[in-house]
Amino acid sequence: KETECRETIKKICDSFAVSPIARDIVETASQINGGAGAGGIELPKHAKHAANDPYFLQPMEGVDGTGYRASWWTQFYCILWRSWLSVLKDPMLVKVRLLQTAMVASLIGSIYFGQVLDQDGVMNINGSLFLFLTNMTFQNVFAVINVFSAELPVFLREKRSRLYRVDTYFLGKTIAELPLFIAVPFVFTSITYPMIGLKAGVSHYLTTLFIVTLVANVSTSF
């Protein structure tokens, strides 16, 4: 749909060109160009640059010593909101992840179904716990590996522009996807735990769920 997209982009650009913000930008650029070197005053280096480039970003008032154009909390909020919107825009991915987790959990539960506490059962339970950890580790590592190919160019460009810090991006991205990485361990544990016949009791189940959730989120962060 390249032709349709180009037409949409042209409409957006045309609408922006007649907007008050665009007029303010043109007026500011004209003032910068008109006032460069006025009165024989030597302009700073960035002002000389601005005289030749009306789109050069001037140092803004109120910028802190680190050079960022927004506070830490503003950066964090914007990254969190943008990451959350990207999650909401792809509901099919969430459904596929949950369905995939349910299928794998059912498969593991079927293999280790109904273990009893004898010598063989203990060994089998050890194997099932190993699969708990490896599945939650590699499933979540590979689930977020696409971030590097999809978002790395954007991240590097925005980081070099001093739009946000690395820690705000990491925290915002992680917290935005946290509900999914809590839901996946919940579905996995809720299916496999009773099928395998692990220790009965709500407290034991919740302890297992807590550990599996931690493993999943550590893998995601890694």
Side-chain angles (χ1 to χ4, degrees), residues 6-210:
R6 290 186 180 277
E7 292 176 356
T8 303
I9 293 172
K10 187 176 184 302
K11 291 178 183 179
I12 295 174
C13 293
D14 292 342
S15 299
F16 176 78
V18 297
S19 66
I21 297 177
R23 289 196 294 270
D24 291 342
I25 292 175
V26 172
E27 182 179 347
T28 303
S30 301
Q31 292 175 356
I32 293 174
N33 285 332
I41 300 174
E42 181 67 19
L43 295 176
K45 184 177 180 180
H46 69 263
K48 292 179 179 178
H49 188 175
N52 298 322
D53 185 0
Y55 300 104
F56 180 71
L57 287 176
Q58 293 286 338
M60 296 176 62
E61 295 181 3
V63 173
D64 57 16
T66 61
Y68 292 101
R69 298 174 176 269
S71 66
W72 191 95
W73 285 109
T74 303
Q75 296 174 34
F76 172 73
Y77 173 79
C78 292
I79 292 295
L80 177 62
W81 180 246
R82 185 174 72 175
S83 301
W84 178 244
L85 289 180
S86 67
V87 172
L88 295 180
K89 287 179 180 177
D90 200 357
M92 181 56 67
L93 178 62
V94 176
K95 295 177 182 178
V96 169
R97 285 291 312 281
L98 294 177
L99 179 61
Q100 176 190 12
T101 301
M103 293 175 63
V104 172
S106 300
L107 177 62
I108 295 176
S110 300
I111 294 174
Y112 292 97
F113 185 80
Q115 297 299 317
V116 294
L117 288 178
D118 54 16
Q119 184 63 37
D120 291 336
V122 170
M123 295 299 294
N124 290 336
I125 289 175
N126 281 338
S128 67
L129 294 178
F130 174 77
L131 285 179
F132 264 64
L133 300 179
T134 54
N135 183 72
M136 281 296 100
T137 299
F138 293 109
Q139 179 181 352
N140 289 289
V141 166
F142 291 122
V144 297
I145 203 72
N146 66 311
V147 169
F148 292 98
S149 59
E151 298 192 17
L152 186 60
V154 176
F155 167 76
L156 291 176
R157 182 174 68 248
E158 295 177 343
K159 177 67 175 66
R160 288 168 184 154
S161 300
R162 311 288 287 177
L163 293 181
Y164 49 74
R165 298 168 173 80
V166 177
D167 56 347
T168 55
Y169 175 83
F170 177 79
L171 291 174
K173 185 77 177 170
T174 302
I175 294 176
E177 297 181 352
L178 188 61
L180 177 60
F181 293 112
I182 291 177
V184 167
F186 174 77
V187 170
F188 182 82
T189 306
S190 298
I191 294 175
T192 53
Y193 197 93
M195 289 184 69
I196 296 173
L198 298 177
K199 193 169 184 179
V202 176
S203 62
H204 302 298
Y205 163 77
L206 292 178
T207 302
T208 305
L209 177 60
F210 177 70

